Each structure stands twice: as C-alpha cells, then as structure tokens.
Amino acid sequence: MLLSFRKYKCTKLIALTVAVVFLYNQIVWAQGASFQHRNVTVPYNQGSIVDIHSSQGNEVIIHLQDAHASLSAQYSIANLLDSLVTNYDLDFIALEGAEGVIDTSRLKTFPDKAIRKEAADFLMKEGRMSAGEFFQITHDKDNVSLYGAE
C-alpha cells in the first residue's frame, strides 16, 4: 500500500513537471520568440538553432537540418537562407546531396523574375531542386556561392 502511494505521488509530480514545461513552451512560441545563439538570431517560424560551432576567427558554421520530402520545410529553409544572407552577410552555402560547385546561372540569368520564380517553384515541387538552389535562383544575391558537400 505504501509503495503504491509513493508511485502515485511520483507519477503526479512527473505529470505536473511535464505540463509546466509544455505550458512554458507554448507561451514562448505564442509570443513570437526567436532563437539566438551567440550573434545569430533565427525567427521561431523559420527554424531553431540546435548548435553553432565557431572557429578561432569570425567564421561561423550553421548546420541546417531539414525534411527533404517536405515542400514547406524547403520554403522555410529558403526564407532562412535569405534572412542569414541579408542579416549576417552569409556568402557560402554547402548542400548535401551534391558534389562540387553548383551552378544555377542558367536559370538565374532569365530576366523576368516572376517566371524565374515560377520555374524554380515547379522544380522544387518536383523534388529536382533543393532549398539552397531555389534561394540562389529566386533572390538577387550574387555574392553567395553554392557548393555540394558530399
């Protein structure tokens, strides 16, 4: 009987702790919090920072984990890349699943930006283009290099 009572109290304590943690998490997300690590801030709706490794100098490596089969995840990554390029002067993106320099110049040189975006949308929906390539083609950032890291 005494063991059962202790087990009951322990279960209630664990349940209360989990409820408080989930409530706190929901409040933080509802307030539109952003994730920050060192000098890099990522808006909550674009992703979360798990870890950033900095070198002795000013270079920072950010590893983005994504869901390859999720189109919405690919668009979120493209938006996050735009934010990182705009706010932190990102100039190099390494992509998994490719090798060597990734050349997007053929699609990037098309003069009509709306049609260029429509073509990139189609290729990404078909799974033939990654978020990094989509970003490179649809944005006017010429100083960003794409490189396959396999």
Side-chain angles (χ1 to χ4, degrees):
M1 177 93 167
L2 183 60
L3 183 59
S4 177
F5 180 71
R6 285 184 184 164
K7 185 177 177 183
Y8 175 75
K9 285 183 84 172
C10 184
T11 303
K12 284 190 98 170
L13 181 63
I14 291 171
L16 179 62
T17 303
V18 169
V20 167
V21 168
F22 280 126
L23 178 63
Y24 173 77
N25 188 31
Q26 292 300 317
I27 290 171
V28 168
W29 280 88
Q31 291 177 346
S34 60
F35 296 96
Q36 183 168 2
H37 186 349
R38 299 202 183 175
N39 295 328
V40 178
T41 302
V42 175
Y44 83 95
N45 61 343
Q46 291 181 349
S48 61
I49 294 176
V50 176
D51 199 7
I52 296 178
H53 300 279
S54 298
S55 66
Q56 297 285 344
N58 293 329
E59 283 75 28
V60 177
I61 296 172
I62 303 170
H63 175 213
L64 302 176
Q65 189 77 28
D66 74 333
H68 298 294
S70 171
L71 185 60
S72 64
Q74 296 300 309
Y75 283 116
S76 291
I77 289 171
N79 289 333
L80 178 56
L81 290 173
D82 183 47
S83 174
L84 292 171
V85 168
T86 302
N87 298 325
Y88 302 103
D89 210 21
L90 178 73
D91 61 359
F92 181 82
I93 300 171
L95 302 174
E96 87 175 309
E99 185 177 325
V101 176
I102 299 172
D103 183 17
T104 59
S105 63
R106 286 189 178 176
L107 286 172
K108 180 113 175 136
T109 57
F110 193 78
D112 189 334
K113 190 172 180 175
I115 294 176
R116 189 171 62 202
K117 184 181 182 313
E118 189 177 324
D121 279 329
F122 173 78
L123 291 170
M124 199 157 70
K125 287 175 187 173
E126 292 291 314
R128 300 188 181 276
M129 179 181 291
S130 69
E133 293 164 310
F134 177 84
F135 164 78
Q136 182 77 352
I137 291 165
T138 59
H139 292 81
D140 295 326
K141 318 281 192 223
D142 291 329
N143 60 335
V144 181
S145 302
L146 293 180
Y147 194 83
E150 289 293 325

